Amino acid sequence: MNQQRRALIKYSAVFGLMASAGLISVAQAEEWNKAAFEGKSLDDVFKSLGASSPDKSSAVTLNAPDIAENGAVVPVGISTTLKAEQMAILVEKNPSTLAAQFFLPAGTEPFVTTRIKMGQTSNVYALVKADGKWSMAVKEIKVTLGGCGG
Amino acid sequence: MAPVSALLKRCLMSSLLIAFGQSAFAQTAADDIAKYREMIADGNPSELYEMSGEELWKKPAGPKNATLEKCDLGLGPGVVDGAAAVLPKYFKDTNRVQDLESRLMTCMDKLQGIPSQGIIDAKFGAGPKKDMDAIVAYIVTHSKGKKINVSTAHPKEKEMYAMGKRAFFFQGGPFDFSCASCHGASGKRIRLQDLPNITTQEGAALGWGYWPAYRVSSGQFWTMQQRLNDCFRQQRFPFPIYGSDVTIALSMYMAKNANGGMIQTPGLKR
Amino acid sequence: MSDPMRVRATEKDGIVDVKILMKHDMESGQRKDASGKVIPAWFISALNVKAQGKDVFNAQFGPAVSKDPFLNFKYKGAKGDKLVVNWVDTKGDKRTDEATVS
Amino acid sequence: MKTLMMTSTKHLFLVFLGCGALAISANVSAQQKADPQFEKMMKNSFRAEGIAGLDRIDQDATQKFCSDPIFASSKAGAAKAIEIQKINMATIKQPTDGKYVGDWKSGEAIAQSGRGATWTDTATTPIGGGCYNCHEIDKKEISYGNIGPSLWNYGKNRGYSQEVMTYTWNRINNSKAYNACSNMPRFAHFKLLNEKQIQDLMALLLDPQSPVNQ
C-alpha cells in the first residue's frame, strides 16, 4: 500500500519533470487520471471521468472479437460518428476497470485501436466524449482457455 | 481378420460420432477465433525483434569483434534474402545438416569467436539466446513470401529426413505422446487450436511456414528451437538440447514435407 | 535503456494512418513469479504523438494494456509530416522515436 | 449453415478415408527394427531436467509398437495389438472401496486442468486429466478439442449399468486395454491420476446429477 503511494508520488514527480522538459504535453500530465485507473468498478471510473451514467448510443462502435483465443491480447477498437474529444476502454471484470483512455485533438479522426488484457470473460465498454457528453457501446468478449494447458 | 474388422467398425462408429457430434456452436466458435486472429494480424510485435536483429547482424561483436555479415546461411556468404526457405541444409564446412539456429551458432563461433556452448546453455529469452532470437527474427522476415524449398539430395539430408520421420512417430514419456499424437491426423484440435497434420504437405506448410512466431500467450518471439522445446515439454519428454540432432531432424521432416508451401514468418500465434 | 518503437505512418486522401508498436512488458501487478511473489506493476502510463510539432494524439494506459503495446489512430495530415512519439512508464523510463509519413 | 454442412461432410469423408487405410492393411509383416543410429541420436539429443529424467525416452512394449503406425495398422500388427491390449488390461485394478462414482464437481476441475508432469512442474504439482484438450464434455465449456469423441450426455446415452461403469473405469485407467494405440494417456498405469481422482472423473461422466447428463 505504502509502496503504491510512493510509486504514485513518483509518477507525479516524473510527469512534472517531463512536462517542464516539454516531452509530454502539459495538458496530458495534468490529466493523467490516477483515480480513474484505480477505479474498481464501472461506477468508480464513470465518476472519475466525469461521465456519471453514459447513454448507450448506436453512434459508438466497439470493434472487438466475440471470442478471444487468448486473454493476454484482446484487440479492441473504438470508432464513432460523433466529434470525439476523448475515448476510454473499460473492462467490467478486470481488477482495474479502466484499461486505457485517449485524447483526440481537433483534426484527429474519431478512431482508435489497441490491445488489452482480460482476466476472464467480461463486458467491455467503449466510452466516447463528444461536445462534453459521454456515450457508450457495450459488448461481451469471451475469453477461452487454450492450448494443452501445461 | 476379426480384430481388424472390429477395429474398423469402431473407427467408423467413432467417426460418425465425431462428424455429427460437432455442434453448430463449435463451428461458430471456430469462426470467431478466425476473426480474432484476423484482428491481431496487423501489428506483429515480431517486428520489434526483427529491428534489433538487423542491428545485431551488422554490429561487430565477440572476441573477434566481427559482424555476421559474411555468415553463409546456405545461399552464400552474407545472403539473407530467402535463406530461411532452404533450411535445414547440409553444410560442407561442418559436415552436418543444420537448421537456422545451429547454423547461426557456427557463424558466431567462426566469425565472431563466440563459443556455442554458452548459447546452448542459456535460458530462452535471456543472455545470448535473446540476441539469437532477434537475429532469427531478422533472417526469417527476409524469407517472407518465399516458397519453401528444402533439399534431400545429399545423403546426409536424406538420412536426417528419415531420422526426423522416425522421431515424429516416437512415443515416450508418461503420457505415451509422440508428435504424431497431435499432428498425425487432419481436422483435429486441442481446445480451440487447430492442429496442423504435419504428415501432409498442406499441414506441414501451416506449421513450418508460420514459425518462428510471436506468441501471444507468452508475449515472446519464439524461434523454431523454442517451439520444439515446448512441444517436447508438453509431450512430457526430457529436455531437448538446443540445436541437437533430434530438433534438426524433426525440422527437416517438417520442412521437406512443407516444400512448395509459403514462408509466412514471422507468424503471430496464440 | 528501452528498445525502440516501430512507427509506421502512411497518408491516403489526406488522412494519415499511424501504427505504433512499443516494446514493453506492461507488468500488471497481478502476476506472480516462480517463488510466488507478486511481480510489481510496471507499465507505460502515457503516450504522446506530435505531428509537425503539434499534438495529434494522447493516450493514458492502465496495467491492462497488453505486453508490447499496439496503437492505431488516424489524423488529418500529409506525406512528409514529421512524427515524434514519446512514452513514459511508471518507473519514469521513457522513450522517444521519430518517423516520417510516407 | 451450408458451410457447416459442407465441413461436416468433408470431415466425415476424411475420417472414412482414414478408416479405409486401416482396413486395407499395409503389406508389412514386422515391426520396425531398432536402429542404433536413431537410438544414438535420441540419447545424445536430450538431457534430464527437473522431474523429466532420461528414462522417459525408454519405451515400453506399447510405446514401441505404437511408434510404428504402418506395422500397427497392418494385418500382422493386428495380432500384436491384441497382445498389447491384454498386457494393458492386466494392469487395471478395480476401485479398492468398490466405489466407481465420486464427486463430479471435482471431476470437472480435473478434466479442465492440463497441467503437471512436465520439467517445469515438481513431483508435487497436481496432474490434471487434460480431458477438455481432446473431448467435448460439459457443453458449457466451448473450448474443447476433438482428438477424442464427445462425452456430452455420456451417461444419459449409455445408461448407468455396472457394465458401463466398469468399461468407463477401465478406459480411464488404461485406454490401451481396448485400443492398443489409443491417443489417451494411461492415467493409472503411469500414476497420473489416483483412484479418487478417477472416481471424480467417473462422476462427471456417470453421475445422473452431473451437468454432462442434463
Side-chain angles (χ1 to χ4, degrees):
Chain A
M1 202 54 225
N2 212 349
Q3 199 180 4
Q4 206 173 13
R5 190 167 303 141
R6 264 206 307 278
L8 285 174
I9 293 164
K10 207 171 137 195
Y11 304 161
S12 322
V14 168
F15 277 113
L17 271 175
M18 292 198 57
S20 59
L23 280 171
I24 294 273
S25 67
V26 176
Q28 190 181 1
E30 279 172 357
E31 283 171 19
W32 198 81
N33 199 333
K34 281 175 254 171
F37 281 108
E38 282 177 355
K40 302 286 176 215
S41 70
L42 290 170
D43 282 342
D44 282 0
V45 177
F46 289 165
K47 215 175 287 167
S48 316
L49 293 177
S52 61
S53 54
D55 291 327
K56 279 188 195 169
S57 164
S58 59
V60 178
T61 307
L62 173 57
N63 200 353
D66 297 331
I67 296 182
E69 196 175 15
N70 197 288
V73 174
V74 184
V76 176
I78 308 175
S79 57
T80 175
T81 51
L82 304 171
K83 275 192 70 179
E85 57 206 61
Q86 194 176 342
M87 291 175 165
I89 300 168
L90 281 66
V91 183
E92 191 168 3
K93 289 192 183 159
N94 268 5
S96 305
T97 309
L98 180 61
Q101 63 165 337
F102 312 98
F103 300 89
L104 317 173
T108 294
E109 298 288 303
F111 162 90
V112 68
T113 299
T114 189
R115 295 170 183 168
I116 58 167
K117 290 178 270 207
M118 289 176 64
Q120 56 179 309
T121 297
S122 169
N123 276 334
V124 174
Y125 292 74
L127 263 64
V128 168
K129 186 184 182 187
D131 297 322
K133 188 180 168 295
W134 286 92
S135 321
M136 68 177 190
V138 190
K139 176 177 180 153
E140 189 195 52
I141 303 178
K142 287 194 174 72
V143 174
T144 60
L145 280 170
C148 316
Chain B
M1 204 52 227
V4 174
S5 65
L7 217 59
L8 177 64
K9 201 170 139 197
R10 188 160 56 232
C11 183
L12 289 178
M13 288 274 286
S14 60
S15 37
L16 282 170
L17 274 174
I18 291 165
F20 296 126
Q22 269 185 340
S23 61
F25 200 57
Q27 189 55 39
T28 320
D31 289 347
D32 286 339
I33 293 282
K35 205 175 104 192
Y36 165 83
R37 287 182 193 152
E38 207 181 296
M39 285 186 78
I40 61 166
D42 198 9
N44 183 340
S46 297
E47 290 181 22
L48 298 164
Y49 292 79
E50 178 215 337
M51 279 165 72
S52 63
E54 182 169 8
E55 245 171 70
L56 288 165
W57 179 260
K58 295 171 178 169
K59 201 175 89 183
K64 295 186 182 171
N65 200 36
T67 76
L68 287 168
E69 287 166 301
K70 287 197 182 106
C71 176
D72 182 356
L73 295 170
L75 298 176
V79 181
V80 171
D81 277 354
V86 300
L87 291 169
K89 188 183 189 308
Y90 172 77
F91 288 87
K92 221 173 162 180
D93 57 351
T94 51
N95 191 29
R96 255 188 97 190
V97 176
Q98 294 183 290
D99 66 344
L100 179 55
E101 289 93 313
S102 57
R103 186 61 192 168
L104 281 169
M105 284 199 287
T106 300
C107 286
M108 289 173 183
D109 180 18
K110 291 200 169 148
L111 299 171
Q112 303 179 311
I114 299 170
S116 298
Q117 200 57 46
I119 302 170
I120 292 168
D121 294 341
K123 280 201 167 141
F124 281 108
K129 272 208 181 88
K130 198 178 161 198
D131 290 351
M132 181 65 100
D133 292 349
I135 294 166
V136 166
Y138 165 62
I139 305 287
V140 301
T141 302
H142 284 263
S143 287
K144 193 174 188 149
K146 295 274 190 330
K147 264 197 178 153
I148 301 165
N149 183 19
V150 171
S151 161
T152 45
H154 191 279
K156 289 232 179 206
E157 291 169 340
K158 210 171 149 186
E159 179 187 291
M160 210 49 153
Y161 178 84
M163 301 264 267
K165 186 173 182 181
R166 192 162 178 154
F168 184 83
F169 290 100
F170 181 92
Q171 285 195 2
F175 280 28
D176 295 329
F177 286 166
S178 68
C179 306
S181 304
C182 291
H183 296 287
S186 298
K188 298 295 180 194
R189 295 193 322 260
I190 279 193
R191 292 279 187 170
L192 284 173
Q193 279 70 51
D194 297 316
L195 300 162
N197 180 355
I198 307 284
T199 66
T200 67
Q201 190 274 337
E202 195 193 0
L206 275 174
W208 184 256
Y210 285 83
W211 287 94
Y214 182 86
R215 203 152 191 252
V216 163
S217 51
S218 60
Q220 293 162 335
F221 174 81
W222 279 16
T223 65
M224 188 48 101
Q225 280 289 330
Q226 188 167 2
R227 172 64 275 184
L228 286 172
N229 181 277
D230 201 59
C231 282
F232 277 122
R233 188 181 70 85
Q234 303 270 21
Q235 255 173 270
R236 274 72 183 179
F237 270 46
F239 194 98
I241 295 163
Y242 192 80
S244 62
D245 276 348
V246 78
T247 64
I248 297 169
L250 282 169
S251 292
M252 191 67 180
Y253 177 68
M254 281 188 277
K256 170 74 184 169
N257 286 356
N259 261 352
M262 196 78 91
I263 296 270
Q264 308 275 15
T265 54
L268 188 61
K269 292 283 186 184
R270 185 199 70 82
Chain C
M1 260 294 284
S2 39
D3 291 318
M5 291 176 246
R6 182 74 136 182
V7 183
R8 290 183 194 281
T10 50
E11 184 267 352
K12 209 189 153 198
D13 302 328
I15 303 289
V16 177
D17 187 342
V18 184
K19 287 174 183 164
I20 304 168
L21 267 171
M22 294 151 257
K23 186 102 193 71
H24 203 286
D25 279 351
M26 301 297 285
E27 275 301 344
S28 64
Q30 304 288 326
R31 295 200 315 144
K32 286 178 182 159
D33 65 13
S35 64
K37 246 178 61 193
V38 173
I39 305 171
W42 179 19
F43 52 90
I44 294 177
S45 48
L47 172 131
N48 168 262
V49 186
K50 286 185 171 64
Q52 302 297 89
K54 230 184 87 201
D55 272 13
V56 287
F57 194 80
N58 278 303
Q60 294 179 359
F61 292 163
V65 170
S66 300
K67 180 174 178 175
D68 297 337
F70 172 75
L71 205 56
N72 180 199
F73 70 92
K74 295 168 181 174
Y75 76 94
K76 289 188 181 68
K79 280 191 176 50
D81 276 5
K82 224 175 147 202
L83 294 182
V84 181
V85 186
N86 275 296
W87 61 245
V88 60
D89 72 19
T90 52
K91 282 190 185 172
D93 287 352
K94 54 201 174 222
R95 175 87 211 174
T96 304
D97 287 284
E98 295 183 5
T100 307
V101 177
S102 62
Chain D
M1 200 55 214
K2 197 180 166 197
T3 44
L4 170 67
M5 281 176 58
M6 277 172 62
T7 326
S8 291
T9 321
K10 192 176 149 206
H11 191 106
L12 188 61
F13 178 65
L14 281 173
V15 190
F16 272 124
L17 267 183
C19 297
L22 192 69
I24 309 156
S25 41
N27 201 4
V28 183
S29 56
Q31 196 171 324
Q32 67 182 0
K33 287 198 184 63
D35 174 357
Q37 199 190 350
F38 177 78
E39 272 155 28
K40 195 176 148 212
M41 174 183 86
M42 293 300 279
K43 201 171 151 271
N44 293 338
S45 290
F46 292 92
R47 63 171 169 79
E49 169 90 10
I51 58 169
L54 283 173
D55 58 345
R56 289 191 174 191
I57 52 173
D58 296 338
Q59 297 176 303
D60 69 8
T62 304
Q63 293 172 336
K64 266 197 191 105
F65 174 71
C66 298
S67 295
D68 182 1
I70 294 177
F71 174 70
S73 59
S74 72
K75 224 181 238 179
K80 175 87 177 173
I82 303 285
E83 198 184 303
I84 297 282
Q85 286 163 202
K86 273 190 191 145
I87 296 171
N88 282 292
M89 188 63 95
T91 68
I92 300 173
K93 291 186 188 73
Q94 298 307 305
T96 46
D97 58 2
K99 249 179 68 187
Y100 283 84
V101 173
D103 168 17
W104 66 261
K105 277 186 194 131
S106 117
E108 167 71 12
I110 296 162
Q112 284 283 358
S113 169
R115 298 186 67 86
T118 75
W119 69 65
T120 48
D121 296 306
T122 65
T124 58
T125 309
I127 300 173
C131 311
Y132 280 101
N133 287 356
C134 297
H135 296 281
E136 178 182 38
I137 310 174
D138 182 351
K139 264 200 192 301
K140 278 202 278 303
E141 177 53 86
I142 58 164
S143 181
Y144 61 86
N146 65 359
I147 293 177
S150 171
L151 304 175
W152 170 248
N153 279 176
Y154 186 91
K156 203 177 173 186
N157 290 340
R158 290 167 181 78
Y160 307 95
S161 66
Q162 188 52 47
E163 202 189 341
V164 170
M165 292 284 169
T166 312
Y167 167 77
T168 309
W169 176 267
N170 290 353
R171 199 89 210 211
I172 298 173
N173 274 262
N174 191 332
S175 189
K176 270 89 174 171
Y178 295 89
N179 174 3
C181 295
S182 158
N183 280 317
M184 190 160 137
R186 292 173 279 178
F187 287 104
H189 178 64
F190 281 112
K191 297 190 169 62
L192 303 172
L193 298 175
N194 61 32
E195 198 174 84
K196 160 139 197 335
Q197 290 173 306
I198 296 175
Q199 286 165 337
D200 292 343
L201 282 177
M202 287 285 289
L204 184 63
L205 300 180
L206 286 166
D207 183 336
Q209 304 304 313
S210 160
V212 168
N213 295 320
Q214 302 316 307

